[in-house]
Amino acid sequence: MDFIKGELLEIIEWQDDSRDTIAWRYPDDDKAIKNGAQLIVRESQVAQFLYLGQFGDTFTPGKHTLTTDNIPVLTRLKGWKYGFQSPFKADVYFVNTRLFTGNKWGTANPIMLRDADLGVVRARAYGTYDFKVVNVQTFLKEVAGSDHDFRVDEFADTMRSRIVSIFSDALANAHVPVFDVATRYIELGDALLPLINPVISSKYGIEVSSFIVENVSVPPEVEQAIDKRSAMSAIGNLNDYVKYQMAQGMAAGGGGGAAGMASELAVGFAVAKELMQQGGLTGGTPPPLPGAPAAAAGAAASTVANPDVLDPATVARMLGVSEADVMAEISAGTLAAKKIGSSYRVTRTALDAFLAQ
């Protein structure tokens, strides 16, 4: 009798001493379950019976005595017409239904997003999520299988790609602008939950209670475009932009050489255009600079009679650059001029067309 009792299971329970086990199969050691055996299911646990690969009865937290009344599904599957009196064999799975927190997810490959501002953008994302099992039978069938000790790390490997796939579809359908993603991580995670949970619950028997987006990154060239857009927004107007360019040129040490001369000339033209648009130089020819050579003063005086015809020296004073810079533009053909003898003359129409380029 002692031998027979040793071959029967009288108490079935799972004392979980881990923090990462989701499903655990009771090790019966090829023993049978006796009639009237005690099944103890603790809080945050569900016990599921399986008989010949078919789902039997499910038990929630509490102490249960296994009799015909308590296992109607198993009674029907085994074909006990008048109740069972002899020991029987069945697999018992305990499933942990508590919340598993801090699980990481991330996109292995970039997600293709259609953005209203940037067009088609490749983005990567990662974050964390919390989940719990809500449908034991679906979870055992689709995720855990016949694994006798199914842990969170196995779940992460199995489910990461599936969750990322659903996240990618949900993010693409959410139409959140890339410029706004960084400021809407919490809002984005909350908005994606109603899209993720119906699919996750029906397919895998789990529910995601918290989905957190920690970062959404874009390729370096898109980051540079965003930085340039932010810089232009900070510049504000042309005057500030010119000052910004001048400061950049000075910091780079571009004051000397051809590159420095071209930079200064471009800045001078931009300033002149701005001043002319504001009406500062629209009427008459400016007076000669104090201490200017007599020849330059005479040339300026010669143009007073016809203010629409200017010589290079006058153009240089108007633009705040050297006469050599103006002659360089005339030689390059970017500033139209008429050569009379050994002198050049520039019409105000030609100067306006040059500044409008």
Side-chain angles (χ1 to χ4, degrees), residues 111-114 166-176 192:
I111 306 170
M112 302 301 292
L113 301 177
R114 186 175 298 278
I166 297 173
F167 165 78
S168 302
D169 294 340
L171 183 60
N173 294 329
H175 302 292
V176 179
L192 291 176

Side-chain angles (χ1 to χ4, degrees), residues 25-40:
R25 185 178 64 191
Y26 186 83
D28 55 13
D29 297 327
D30 203 28
K31 296 179 181 180
I33 302 173
K34 65 171 292 187
N35 180 20
Q38 300 295 309
L39 173 66
I40 301 175

Side-chain angles (χ1 to χ4, degrees), residues 293-318:
S302 65
T303 62
V304 173
N306 190 359
D308 291 331
V309 179
L310 308 172
D311 63 357
T314 303
V315 174
R317 287 196 300 274
M318 292 175 62

Side-chain angles (χ1 to χ4, degrees), residues 81-101:
K81 296 182 180 180
Y82 308 105
F84 77 94
Q85 298 296 328
S86 59
F88 67 96
K89 291 186 65 64
D91 293 326
V92 183
Y93 283 86
F94 286 89
V95 178
N96 204 332
T97 58
R98 72 172 180 84
L99 191 66
F100 291 89
T101 61

Side-chain angles (χ1 to χ4, degrees), residues 71-310:
I71 50 176
V73 179
L74 188 60
T75 300
R76 175 173 52 80
L77 293 176
K78 195 168 178 61
W80 291 316
K81 296 182 180 180
Y82 308 105
F84 77 94
Q85 298 296 328
S86 59
F88 67 96
K89 291 186 65 64
D91 293 326
V92 183
Y93 283 86
F94 286 89
V95 178
N96 204 332
T97 58
R98 72 172 180 84
L99 191 66
F100 291 89
T101 61
N103 303 279
K104 297 185 179 298
W105 64 271
T107 56
N109 298 308
I111 306 170
M112 302 301 292
L113 301 177
R114 186 175 298 278
D115 187 78
D117 297 320
L118 302 176
V120 178
V121 181
R122 293 179 291 110
R124 295 179 181 271
Y126 65 85
T128 60
Y129 66 96
D130 306 335
F131 76 94
K132 62 180 178 180
V133 178
V134 293
N135 190 315
V136 173
Q137 295 186 4
T138 302
F139 177 79
L140 290 175
K141 180 180 179 181
E142 301 295 337
V143 182
S146 59
D147 195 332
H148 72 282
D149 189 9
F150 190 80
R151 296 179 176 272
V152 173
D153 55 352
E154 299 177 69
F155 172 86
D157 295 339
T158 304
M159 297 300 296
R160 181 180 290 113
S161 60
R162 303 178 187 179
I163 289 181
V164 168
S165 176
I166 297 173
F167 165 78
S168 302
D169 294 340
L171 183 60
N173 294 329
H175 302 292
V176 179
V178 173
F179 289 117
D180 298 338
V181 166
T183 60
R184 299 171 60 181
Y185 284 154
I186 297 178
E187 179 183 345
L188 180 61
D190 294 339
L192 291 176
L193 274 180
L195 303 176
I196 294 175
N197 270 328
V199 181
I200 292 291
S201 299
S202 62
K203 285 188 175 182
Y204 312 118
I206 66 172
E207 179 182 274
V208 177
S209 59
S210 176
F211 193 86
I212 300 174
V213 180
E214 295 183 359
N215 180 266
V216 176
S217 59
V218 294
E221 56 271 18
V222 179
E223 291 183 353
Q224 294 175 6
I226 296 174
D227 292 341
K228 289 181 180 178
R229 174 169 173 170
S230 300
M232 291 303 297
S233 298
I235 289 171
N237 56 53
L238 179 61
N239 188 32
D240 292 337
Y241 176 72
V242 170
K243 295 178 181 178
Y244 172 77
Q245 290 289 76
M246 293 178 65
Q248 291 293 316
M250 294 174 63
M261 182 181 298
S263 176
E264 292 176 358
L265 182 60
V267 172
F269 286 156
V271 173
K273 181 179 179 180
E274 176 70 13
L275 293 175
M276 292 182 71
Q277 289 178 348
Q278 295 176 359
L281 295 175
T282 56
T285 303
L289 296 177
S302 65
T303 62
V304 173
N306 190 359
D308 291 331
V309 179
L310 308 172

